[in-house]
Amino acid sequence: MKTGQSHLFIPGPTNVPEDVRRAMNVPMQDMRAPDFGDLTLSLFTDMKRVLRTETGSVFFFPGSGTGAWEAAITNTLSPGDKVLMSRFGQFSTLWVEMAIRLGLDVHVIDVPWGQGVPVAQYAEALADDTDGAIKAVFVTHNETATGVTSDVAAIRAALDGADHDALLLVDGVSSIGSLEFRMEDWGVDLAVTGSQKGLMLPAGLGILGVSAKALEAAKHSTMRRAYFEFSDMVAMNAGGYFPYTPPTQLFHGMRAALDRMFCEGLDNVIARHHRLASAVRRGVTAMGMEIVAAEPCLYSDTVTAIRVPERVDARDVIATAYADYNTSFGSGLAQLAGDVFRIGHLGDLNEAMCLTALSVAEMSLARAGADIRFGAGVAAAQAYFAESQTEQTKTPIAAE
Ligand SMILES: *Cc1c(COP(=O)(O)O)cnc(C)c1O
């Protein structure tokens, strides 16, 4: 019998705020009703604000981030097209595998896990491609398996520097809504995300930001697609409708989640993620653990992958946290299994929750055989929170 609250520190699905959950508890409604657009039309507009695009379009596909990956590829590319991709974690690896399965000619650059997108190698490949054979460049903005955030703006600069007109496809599933993401400024043509990470909703939506250039490419791409056809969406979305039954409950939840984000302020949401992540990283380091991301400039503000000491099995850490402390940590994926556990720190989260995560990590690491001085990680995070509290984040104790 488990008592009290359970604690979810996985990088998706993330905690759904209570008011968002309640907003979804509404009767089923007629998806062809004349006023259905009252619910949906504002979501297209407001998701563009989150993506920071003025000229792009937004599509909501019932599905998940993986479905949005597929929609991005099948709508804009043709079988045999040469594309530039890189692998540096489980999610970037899976997108490469999908691109191969769909019949693209994938030029893949393998990078050690813990590094990010290889900007210099992309720049070189683009500069060498004088006849424009490369049709698209793929970037996994935030590699959730390793806790690495890559520099999308630098890839845009590489494309522009080579005067190359390949499409830029970006996986922002674990970054959009939590980290700085500038679809327009970075010239992103396809921005992929899902509902269950930074957007604080249940899983069930694959979300795409699509540039005007990508919509134009969709008119000429010959890859087979049916369910994910952009033009069917374009035709129906204009009035707020969908080509098939949409998950109306999720839309009500999204309305509430976006309202929360705008109320906090998008820049404040990003700053909060940075502050909480900084505390988690300090805590983890003070425990004597190593962060998988190779350099501070690669540190992800939504997830930290933590390498455990050699004699410890990270699976034991995760199992103890779950069984004894009602707490979920993310596992080490693929080649990181057993060596790594992950703390997801994105979405609806605060200081006290991060301190809980660190505290449970210490208890579970100790049980798994790590040499832990209890409280060291928690204390480092507490000290950081205390020092970094600004006048904005501090509430006066006794208001006049
Ligand atoms: C979670 C995730 C995905 C997969 O999304 P699903 O919604 O599980 O299909 C893809 N890429 C990244 C970076 C992710 O974090």
Side-chain angles (χ1 to χ4, degrees):
M1 169 72 193
K2 291 190 174 184
T3 56
Q5 291 180 350
S6 56
H7 307 283
L8 199 57
F9 295 110
I10 59 175
T14 66
N15 296 294
V16 177
E18 186 60 29
D19 57 344
V20 174
R21 258 195 329 205
R22 275 201 305 265
M24 291 186 285
N25 189 3
V26 289
M28 296 306 120
Q29 64 197 87
D30 175 3
M31 64 179 199
R32 307 269 182 240
D35 61 353
F36 190 68
D38 293 353
L39 168 64
T40 53
L41 288 173
S42 73
L43 300 176
F44 293 110
T45 309
D46 286 345
M47 188 56 64
K48 285 170 65 173
R49 282 173 70 190
V50 172
L51 293 168
R52 298 195 203 263
T53 178
E54 303 263 320
T55 57
S57 307
V58 165
F59 297 130
F60 300 120
F61 289 102
S64 76
T66 306
W69 271 353
E70 183 162 337
I73 292 174
T74 55
N75 276 281
T76 58
L77 295 165
S78 301
D81 275 355
K82 184 171 178 183
V83 299
L84 184 57
M85 300 184 80
S86 49
R87 270 190 293 229
F88 43 84
Q90 182 65 1
F91 292 93
S92 44
T93 297
L94 290 174
W95 209 10
V96 166
E97 284 172 10
M98 175 185 278
I100 292 169
R101 270 201 221 173
L102 291 171
L104 295 175
D105 172 16
V106 182
H107 178 75
V108 57
I109 301 172
D110 274 300
V111 180
W113 289 30
Q115 299 284 348
V117 65
V119 176
Q121 288 177 71
Y122 271 35
E124 203 179 294
L126 290 166
D128 288 348
D129 185 42
T130 45
D131 56 355
I134 297 171
K135 299 299 176 205
V137 171
F138 289 60
V139 176
T140 299
H141 183 209
N142 191 75
E143 176 48 82
T144 317
T146 57
V148 164
T149 303
S150 285
D151 190 349
V152 180
I155 299 301
R156 167 45 59 199
L159 280 157
D160 292 349
D163 202 15
H164 204 294
D165 73 348
L167 294 168
L168 177 56
L169 281 75
V170 178
D171 174 348
V173 179
S174 61
S175 63
I176 289 168
S178 308
L179 308 183
E180 167 113 304
F181 192 91
R182 301 193 160 274
M183 181 169 168
E184 195 94 31
D185 291 353
W186 297 345
V188 175
D189 292 301
L190 292 131
V192 175
T193 192
S195 49
Q196 79 279 20
K197 297 190 180 174
L199 296 172
M200 308 177 288
L201 291 164
L205 284 176
I207 300 167
L208 276 176
V210 181
S211 72
K213 180 174 158 183
L215 270 188
E216 185 57 33
K219 293 181 186 155
H220 311 290
S221 114
T222 61
M223 199 172 287
R224 286 201 179 185
R225 56 190 184 259
Y227 181 81
F228 288 124
E229 174 64 51
F230 281 176
S231 61
D232 294 344
M233 276 291 191
V234 171
M236 297 297 288
N237 285 174
Y241 300 102
F242 287 78
Y244 28 72
T245 317
T248 309
Q249 266 39 34
L250 282 174
F251 291 151
H252 282 285
M254 184 184 286
R255 183 64 271 153
L258 292 172
D259 288 344
R260 282 183 75 93
M261 291 169 79
F262 296 141
C263 181
E264 184 178 356
L266 289 178
D267 288 334
N268 295 332
V269 171
I270 294 166
R272 170 170 55 83
H273 279 82
H274 180 63
R275 185 173 140 76
L276 298 178
S278 301
V280 169
R281 288 191 287 265
R282 273 160 210 250
V284 163
T285 308
M287 278 177 220
M289 299 297 132
E290 206 181 294
I291 291 171
V292 172
E295 295 172 62
C297 67
L298 299 170
Y299 287 168
S300 164
D301 284 343
T302 58
V303 54
T304 300
I306 299 150
R307 199 179 292 282
V308 299
E310 232 161 66
R311 63 184 176 286
V312 175
D313 189 330
R315 286 166 287 218
D316 294 341
V317 178
I318 295 162
T320 299
Y322 191 73
D324 292 357
Y325 302 110
N326 216 351
T327 295
S328 291
F329 292 128
S331 56
L333 299 175
Q335 68 184 57
L336 301 179
D339 297 336
V340 162
F341 72 101
R342 293 173 299 151
I343 299 180
H345 35 78
L346 73 165
D348 188 39
L349 205 75
N350 59 28
E351 282 85 350
M353 292 160 83
C354 292
L355 294 173
T356 298
L358 291 168
S359 167
V360 173
E362 288 182 355
M363 302 286 285
S364 308
L365 276 161
R367 275 276 297 284
D371 185 15
I372 290 288
R373 188 159 53 82
F374 285 133
V378 175
Q382 286 171 321
Y384 172 79
F385 281 143
E387 280 160 26
S388 66
Q389 224 176 18
T390 62
E391 289 314 311
Q392 280 85 21
T393 60
K394 205 183 313 186
T395 306
I397 290 170
E400 288 298 305

